[in-house]
Structure formats: C-alpha cells, structure tokens
Amino acid sequence: LIIFNENTPVDSVQGQVWYWASVCMYEMQQYKSAEKYGLKSLPLLHDDETKADCLNLIGCIYVRLGDFDQAAAYTKQCLDIDMRSGDDDRISSSLNTLAGIYMAAYQPKEAEVYIIKAIEHADKAQNPARKAILLGMASEIYHALGNDTISLQYADQSYELEKVIGNEHRSAIRLSQKASALIGLHRYSEAEQTLETVIPTLRQCGDKHSLAIACNKMGMSLLCQEREKEAI
C-alpha cells in the first residue's frame, strides 16, 4: 500500500494517484486515458526513480498509440535517469522499451543495438523475469531481420524461463513469438500446433492485442499450407 502522512503536499499525492491511474489504464488497454493521467502525473514527480517509471510508462503508451517519435523521446529521458542510477535492472528495462519502439517503427537494426545492451545489463542484474522479456524481444527482432534460426533459439530460451517463473500469460506470448520464427523457417504445421495452444490462453487472459497478433499468425500459417478457407 502507498501511505501518505498528514504533511504530504497535495501535488505529491496527486502525482502518485495520477501515475497509478495511468498504470491501471495501460493494463486495461485504455491508452488515451493512460496518456492523459501519465502526462498529468509527470511534472509532479520529483523522485528520480518514480519519474523514470513514469517516463518509461508514457513511452510504452505512445508505442500503443503509434506515435513512435514521442515514445522514443520519453524513453530516452528515462534511460538517462536510469544510467545515472547505475541500476542494471532498470537500465535493461529502458533499453528494452527502446528496442520495442524501434521494432514498432520498422527499424529492426536500431532495435538490435538496444536489445543486445539490454540483455548484457539483465545478466548483471540476475533477474530471470526481465531476462525472459528481453529474450522474447530479441526473438522478434531477429525474426524481423530475417534470421529465424537465432529468433527461434531466443524464443525457446524465453519460453523456458517463463515456464519456470509460472506466468501462463507471458508463456503464451513467448510461444506466439516462437510461431513467428517457425513460419519464417517454413515450418508451418509446427507453427499451427504452437498457436493452437496460444490462442485460447490469450483469449482467456483478455489480452486482445496479443490475441489479434496470434490469430494473424495462425492465418498466415494456414495460408502457407494452402488452407485458405480456414485462414479466413
């Protein structure tokens, strides 16, 4: 719980409440509301760590809204704060967000630079949950670069970590990333079998964004097997 004492300035309370409202709206995939609360919160946050968290969050929100220039600008401000802190876990998170932004902007070569650095810092931090996320991002990046053998290796490593952690939702996302690599390697039936386990899990979790991506991949794997009616 976040507890405020009686002497806490009103703007500090507002900054915290609006920040957490932004977090909640982002998790609910209501990105315009998340943007509104995040921007209201940012100027009222004076602690470097909380300010960096908010900058990272706003960067992620702008990715979902498709404004990649704004996303990169806010996330680079977050990275500057994290680099000054020397916290490898936080540095790896910011680098991963930047990699994701450049991926979303169809610039995988730029994304590759950030994800390699992010993995190096995650190894220093010894955070398996963070490492799983980074390996998943690396899988997506190398798939975009056309190197699906490496992409598959990263996806498998990421999935194995998620299984150990026990996160069913994220495990499904890692399998979806694996399916991309399998499609790139022309292993269409394997991709189909993988996605058959992914889609029900994502539907149950309510992650519409990832579900849409997985369904699109399933359509592609079926089309590549000349099963047009099923693909539709």
Side-chain angles (χ1 to χ4, degrees):
L1 295 176
I2 298 172
I3 299 171
F4 300 100
N5 63 45
E6 292 179 2
N7 299 320
T8 303
V10 172
D11 62 347
S12 296
V13 176
Q14 289 174 330
Q16 284 288 328
V17 170
W18 285 332
Y19 168 70
W20 286 106
S22 182
V23 171
C24 290
M25 292 299 106
Y26 179 82
E27 290 296 328
M28 294 168 66
Q29 302 178 41
Q30 296 180 22
Y31 301 121
K32 289 302 292 183
S33 293
E35 175 196 19
K36 179 181 75 172
Y37 288 119
L39 292 175
K40 282 166 71 77
S41 171
L42 187 59
L44 302 178
L45 301 175
H46 306 298
D47 172 74
D48 273 355
E49 185 171 316
T50 309
K51 195 176 189 72
D53 287 342
C54 190
L55 287 164
N56 197 330
L57 175 63
I58 293 171
C60 293
I61 290 166
Y62 278 122
V63 170
R64 296 300 194 184
L65 291 174
D67 189 339
F68 305 122
D69 288 339
Q70 285 277 60
Y74 279 99
T75 306
K76 284 177 180 177
Q77 291 180 60
C78 172
L79 179 61
D80 287 343
I81 295 173
D82 290 339
M83 290 297 290
R84 290 198 300 271
S85 77
D87 186 323
D88 286 304
D89 193 41
R90 296 182 65 85
I91 293 168
S92 68
S93 175
S94 296
L95 288 167
N96 180 57
T97 303
L98 279 167
I101 290 166
Y102 284 105
M103 268 295 290
Y106 304 105
Q107 299 178 50
K109 284 301 294 180
E110 287 79 359
E112 181 185 18
V113 174
Y114 286 110
I115 201 62
I116 294 301
K117 291 180 181 177
I119 291 171
E120 290 174 1
H121 283 282
D123 283 335
K124 293 177 185 176
Q126 297 182 329
N127 182 340
R130 177 83 63 208
K131 183 75 175 288
I133 293 170
L134 299 177
L135 292 170
M137 176 62 73
S139 176
E140 291 190 9
I141 290 169
Y142 283 101
H143 172 66
L145 289 169
N147 194 334
D148 285 296
T149 299
I150 292 180
S151 175
L152 183 59
Q153 292 171 1
Y154 276 123
D156 280 333
Q157 290 175 44
S158 179
Y159 175 64
E160 290 304 319
L161 276 177
E162 297 287 14
K163 276 204 308 183
V164 171
I165 294 166
N167 190 321
E168 186 178 16
H169 174 218
R170 290 198 179 277
S171 293
I173 293 173
R174 303 305 160 227
L175 288 176
S176 181
Q177 291 165 333
K178 177 177 181 175
S180 295
L182 290 169
I183 290 170
L185 293 168
H186 310 294
R187 292 160 61 176
Y188 306 122
S189 62
E190 291 178 66
E192 178 190 354
Q193 291 167 16
T194 300
L195 291 165
E196 282 175 349
T197 67
V198 168
I199 289 171
T201 301
L202 293 177
R203 185 173 283 120
Q204 185 177 4
C205 293
D207 185 347
K208 296 178 182 178
H209 189 85
S210 298
L211 176 61
I213 292 170
C215 287
N216 188 53
K217 292 176 187 178
M218 178 65 93
M220 178 62 71
S221 68
L222 293 168
L223 271 178
C224 291
Q225 296 177 74
E226 299 182 356
R227 294 157 62 187
E228 289 85 356
K229 289 183 179 179
E230 293 172 78
I232 290 168

